[in-house]
Amino acid sequence: MGKTSAEFRAGARRKAKAMCLLLIVTAAVGYFAGWVWALIPGIMAAWSAFQLMSATLIAARLEVLESQPRLDRS
């Protein structure tokens, strides 16, 4: 899609921040409303963690590709 490793790294940072916030919300909801209600932000935190890992892996693979010399085909 033309995205660079830096863009994926930035996305991974955003997902890490979202995951931390959602984990705090999960703990607060679990404490005040019960753990059944805490499943909703907990599932969202798990999804953010999955997206974080995915973006990190893609960024690492792109960094390897970006560091290799390009062969121009005419």
Side-chain angles (χ1 to χ4, degrees), residues 3 14-15 18 26 28-29 33-34 38 43 46 48-50 58-59 63-64 66 72:
K3 292 190 176 190
R14 282 192 308 272
K15 292 299 175 183
T26 300
V29 169
I43 290 170
S48 291
F50 172 75
I58 292 170
E63 285 171 354
V64 169
E66 290 170 353
D72 290 331

Side-chain angles (χ1 to χ4, degrees), residues 4-17 52 55-56 59:
T4 64
S5 62
E7 291 172 314
F8 278 98
R9 290 280 180 204
R13 279 192 294 278
R14 282 192 308 272
K15 292 299 175 183
K17 291 176 185 177
L52 164 65
T56 303

Side-chain angles (χ1 to χ4, degrees), residues 16-60:
K17 291 176 185 177
M19 184 189 68
C20 289
L21 177 65
L22 285 167
L23 287 174
I24 292 169
V25 169
T26 300
V29 169
Y31 182 77
F32 291 112
W35 291 108
V36 174
W37 287 103
L39 287 175
I40 296 168
I43 290 170
M44 292 170 42
W47 181 249
S48 291
F50 172 75
Q51 289 179 323
L52 164 65
M53 292 184 335
S54 176
T56 303
L57 288 173
I58 292 170

